[in-house]
Amino acid sequence: MTGVLGMLGDRVLARLVPKATAKADTSYYAHCYCRERSKFRKLCFVVGGTTGCGACTAYALCGS
């Protein structure tokens, strides 16, 4: 009897709670600023609808 109730509970739970889906992570660079002849940018990302960004880092000379 306990096994039947457990199996029934699993089926009900599977219907009520959506299964987790793996979403593709997206990352992109955002421009920060130019200072002292260097361009700065930061790496931003989108994971599961949440957006975040890292620190600004130098990557090129301004004007290039």
Side-chain angles (χ1 to χ4, degrees), residues 2-3 6 9 11-12 15-17 24-26 38-40 45-46 49 52-53 58-61:
T2 304
R11 286 185 182 177
V12 169
R15 298 273 182 181
L16 295 177
V17 179
D25 298 340
T26 304
S38 295
K39 288 182 185 178
F40 287 80
F45 55 88
V46 179
C53 293
Y59 73 99
L61 295 175

Side-chain angles (χ1 to χ4, degrees), residues 26-30 42-46 51-53:
T26 304
S27 60
Y28 60 93
Y29 286 99
K42 58 186 171 184
L43 180 63
C44 297
F45 55 88
V46 179
T51 303
C53 293

Side-chain angles (χ1 to χ4, degrees), residues 1-11:
M1 185 70 173
T2 304
V4 173
L5 289 176
M7 193 168 47
L8 181 61
D10 288 343
R11 286 185 182 177

